[in-house]
Amino acid sequence: VGTAISVLNGVYSTATNTTLRNGTVRGFAGHGVDFNSSGAVVEHVTVENCGSTGIRVGTRSCVSDCLSRSNTLYGVWADTGT
């Protein structure tokens, strides 16, 4: 729901309550997963070798059982209130 592939980021969405489960995202120039909105759920996802943050989520979001490694900036970036 509300996700799309972009050239810069791996999986990107600005829709609320977006969910991503079970997969691998690797080698993107920007964020691996960028859910810059509230209520996102990211579970059982591996993100590696991206040029920015591995997993980025907005407020009231949940990141669980994920692996974020060898990304240039942060492994996981969660907005305040997450």
Side-chain angles (χ1 to χ4, degrees), residues 1 3 10-12 17-25 32-35 40-47 54-55 62-64 66:
V1 174
T3 59
V11 181
Y12 173 78
N17 303 318
T18 302
T19 298
L20 177 65
R21 289 190 178 104
N22 305 322
T24 299
V25 178
V33 175
D34 186 3
F35 290 166
V41 175
V42 182
E43 297 177 332
H44 307 286
V45 175
T46 297
V47 182
I55 300 170
C62 178
V63 177
S64 64
C66 294

Side-chain angles (χ1 to χ4, degrees), residues 19-73:
T19 298
L20 177 65
R21 289 190 178 104
N22 305 322
T24 299
V25 178
R26 97 171 37 99
F28 285 88
H31 304 300
V33 175
D34 186 3
F35 290 166
N36 191 18
S37 59
S38 65
V41 175
V42 182
E43 297 177 332
H44 307 286
V45 175
T46 297
V47 182
E48 57 191 6
N49 301 317
C50 291
S52 190
T53 298
I55 300 170
R56 179 182 174 208
V57 295
T59 60
R60 298 184 313 277
S61 296
C62 178
V63 177
S64 64
D65 297 318
C66 294
L67 174 63
S68 183
R69 64 179 172 205
S70 301
N71 299 296
T72 302
L73 290 178

